[in-house]
Amino acid sequence: GILSSLILDLPDPQFVGSLKAQITHLMMGLVGSRTHPSDPIAYPLPRFRDGAYQLVALAHAGNLDVAKQLSPYFAENDFSNSTLPEADIPALGIWALSEVANSLKQPDYDQWLWPHMRRKAEIIGNMLSSNRPGYPIFTSAKFPFAENTDLQRVDLIAGKMDKSSGSIGLDPAANIMSYRALEDAATLADRLRHSEDAKLWRSQAEQLKTTWQKANQTQFTAFTNGLWPSGIAEGERDLMAKKLQERWEASRDATGAFRQTPPAMQYQLAEAHQWLLLNQPEQVWSTLKWAWRNQASPGLYTWWSDRNELDKSLAPKSFSQWQRFRGWVNPPHLTPHYWTAAEMLLLQLDMLAYIDHSTSSPTLIVGAGIPTAWLKQPISIKGQLVEGNLVNWIWDGKQMNVQIKGEPMKVKAGSVFPPGTQIKVEILPKELPQSK
């Protein structure tokens, strides 16, 4: 089913409505085995970057059969983001497909994925070590690279991504996500016993992280992906919190609302995800409540992308006839925006439970995004898929009971729970999660 196996018994109907709506919108936005950035009438081509987040969100929500069906496009495409080659695409492909593999835990999928994972990791290695303009050209991307002369640069990856390149001439997203991708590729290599590949990719990831940190001393670039999903800023949590707070004070009023409406919400939700991992749920909730108060279609939990920006920078003129089909007299924006839906869904799921890999042994963090007001009554989460482990947890007002079907792991309550909260953990018989 669309809503997978997740059952939520929570005191806030908006939270539940929003989470379920994102799954429904992401499923409705699919056309065959392709994702789209918004209404397919508005933009009939898949966009890899948007789609990578959509793929991960659907996998995390437990829609594993769908995630498998969507996987070949992300495996086979190495550079093309709709109509342009972009430097972060190989890394996003590795990350998204690794997240699906981690959710599925199926050896056959791992074996199918391996040659694609290896090829993409080698592409990242080439971009990190080559300064040949226009290199490489891949027929599978279907687009020549001759015009993209700044695609790579020694030690760090240059590129173009939504005007995010800054004064050092680099694509922050490509470098940050390439670190994550090399680590993910190494994990799959270990699982399939390709130890030499794993060793090489971990070495490249560490070199990239070191070089990025040096460049980062003059220009901080990890606001939307430093802790989640990349982990590259894990050793700089204090700096991350300081820089995020500066951005917060510059863009928010005293109530936590945005001073100006963002042109799209995916980056703001991604920043909220960083706040979640910094154990600051108040900032997360300020962003969520603002988003719920400012829906593109009130009651449907959809958000927007600036239509003029899409028409101008992404869509050929022939795509610009969508307004007449939509039923709006003067449509102010594109909606739904599926990258934003994916970010919202991934954030809300992690607010309920996520696995912290920054510690010596992976730790399940339960209820990191729960507001204090919820603790006065029972809370129940059943059937949440967390990195391939089915997790149920119940807060009865005094104690937390957690069931894990999958890998045994440490369990920790989120920072909002009272100090010394008793946690009873039950490891259920291990079996593969069922696709939904």
Side-chain angles (χ1 to χ4, degrees):
I2 284 180
L3 297 181
S4 67
S5 60
L6 189 61
I7 301 173
L8 306 175
D9 184 6
L10 303 173
D12 187 340
Q14 269 199 315
F15 187 95
V16 177
S18 173
L19 192 153
K20 290 183 175 181
Q22 305 320 303
I23 303 174
T24 303
H25 291 311
L26 289 172
M27 292 290 289
M28 289 173 63
L30 302 177
V31 178
S33 59
R34 294 289 186 270
T35 60
H36 288 78
S38 186
D39 187 326
I41 292 176
Y43 196 82
L45 300 179
R47 274 175 55 80
F48 194 106
R49 186 181 299 114
D50 304 56
Y53 283 86
Q54 292 166 248
L55 178 62
V56 174
L58 287 168
H60 283 208
N63 295 73
L64 300 182
D65 283 346
V66 174
K68 284 181 73 172
Q69 292 166 19
L70 295 173
S71 294
Y73 169 76
F74 296 94
E76 294 163 7
N77 183 2
D78 289 328
F79 269 112
S80 173
N81 187 39
S82 184
T83 60
L84 294 171
E86 300 195 52
D88 61 331
I89 299 306
L92 286 169
I94 288 177
W95 166 66
L97 293 163
S98 294
E99 293 294 308
V100 176
N102 292 341
S103 296
L104 285 167
K105 296 193 182 303
Q106 293 178 358
D108 286 352
Y109 186 89
D110 285 354
Q111 291 289 349
W112 166 81
L113 179 56
W114 171 247
H116 300 290
M117 188 75 79
R118 187 174 193 172
R119 186 184 68 251
K120 292 175 190 293
E122 288 173 350
I123 289 170
I124 292 171
N126 287 340
M127 287 197 292
L128 288 169
S129 62
S130 173
N131 59 3
R132 287 180 280 165
Y135 174 88
I137 297 175
F138 279 95
T139 55
S140 65
K142 297 192 174 86
F143 293 96
F145 282 63
E147 295 179 6
N148 204 18
T149 56
D150 66 343
L151 187 62
Q152 54 272 326
R153 166 173 169 162
V154 177
D155 297 325
L156 286 172
I157 299 170
K160 299 174 181 176
M161 183 269 182
D162 293 344
K163 301 177 184 177
S164 66
S165 296
S167 60
I168 56 175
L170 302 169
D171 184 339
N175 287 291
I176 292 170
M177 290 309 296
S178 289
Y179 165 79
R180 171 78 268 146
L182 289 166
E183 291 283 354
D184 284 340
T187 298
L188 180 64
D190 278 337
R191 212 155 60 225
L192 298 177
R193 300 182 180 178
H194 296 287
S195 57
E196 289 301 312
D197 289 312
K199 184 179 178 181
L200 170 64
W201 294 335
R202 284 208 173 89
S203 173
Q204 290 175 331
E206 200 56 39
Q207 291 171 3
L208 176 54
K209 182 178 182 179
T210 301
T211 309
W212 175 82
Q213 286 173 333
K214 290 178 182 175
N216 212 33
Q217 291 173 2
T218 57
Q219 181 191 18
F220 192 80
T221 57
F223 300 110
T224 61
N225 53 14
L227 297 175
W228 183 89
S230 78
I232 199 169
E234 194 58 59
E236 302 182 73
R237 293 174 73 91
D238 290 344
L239 177 61
M240 183 93 181
K242 177 176 177 286
K243 294 294 185 179
L244 281 170
Q245 185 62 35
E246 290 172 1
R247 280 171 69 88
W248 183 278
E249 292 169 2
S251 62
R252 310 285 187 123
D253 63 22
T255 70
F258 291 101
R259 297 179 195 273
Q260 292 183 319
T261 299
M265 278 297 292
Q266 73 267 27
Y267 299 118
Q268 284 67 31
L269 291 168
E271 281 196 30
H273 216 135
Q274 314 311 310
W275 282 117
L276 177 68
L277 269 61
L278 288 167
N279 299 316
Q280 299 290 339
E282 298 84 3
Q283 280 88 338
V284 179
W285 277 93
S286 289
T287 302
L288 281 186
K289 289 179 177 178
W290 189 93
W292 294 338
R293 287 195 305 269
N294 293 274
Q295 300 175 40
S297 300
L300 297 182
Y301 297 100
T302 72
W303 289 273
W304 59 88
S305 178
D306 184 275
R307 76 172 195 189
N308 295 321
E309 191 65 27
L310 189 65
D311 283 348
K312 180 174 62 181
S313 66
L314 304 177
K317 295 247 184 240
S318 59
F319 293 177
S320 301
Q321 306 303 311
W322 58 271
Q323 295 95 329
R324 67 179 67 180
F325 296 106
R326 294 193 53 81
W328 299 74
V329 174
N330 183 25
H333 42 232
L334 285 170
T335 189
H337 185 237
Y338 294 122
W339 184 355
T340 303
E343 292 276 11
M344 177 65 85
L345 177 55
L346 289 163
L347 173 61
Q348 289 192 258
L349 289 171
D350 278 7
M351 290 170 74
L352 301 176
Y354 73 91
I355 296 177
D356 180 5
H357 290 279
S358 67
T359 53
S360 56
S361 58
T363 303
L364 181 70
I365 310 296
V366 177
I370 299 301
T372 308
W374 288 14
L375 301 182
K376 299 173 184 176
Q377 53 208 300
I379 300 169
S380 172
I381 310 292
K382 293 182 180 178
Q384 183 174 355
L385 190 64
V386 185
E387 296 189 21
N389 305 281
L390 277 174
V391 174
N392 306 324
W393 65 270
I394 296 173
W395 165 255
D396 64 8
K398 298 178 181 178
Q399 173 178 300
M400 184 180 291
N401 299 306
V402 181
Q403 293 179 323
I404 302 173
K405 184 180 290 187
E407 301 292 335
M409 67 185 82
K410 294 181 180 179
V411 179
K412 182 179 176 183
S415 59
V416 70
F417 289 89
T421 292
Q422 186 176 353
I423 305 174
K424 180 184 176 185
V425 180
E426 180 184 2
I427 305 296
L428 301 176
K430 185 177 177 181
E431 61 183 60
L432 292 176
Q434 296 299 307
S435 298
K436 288 287 177 181

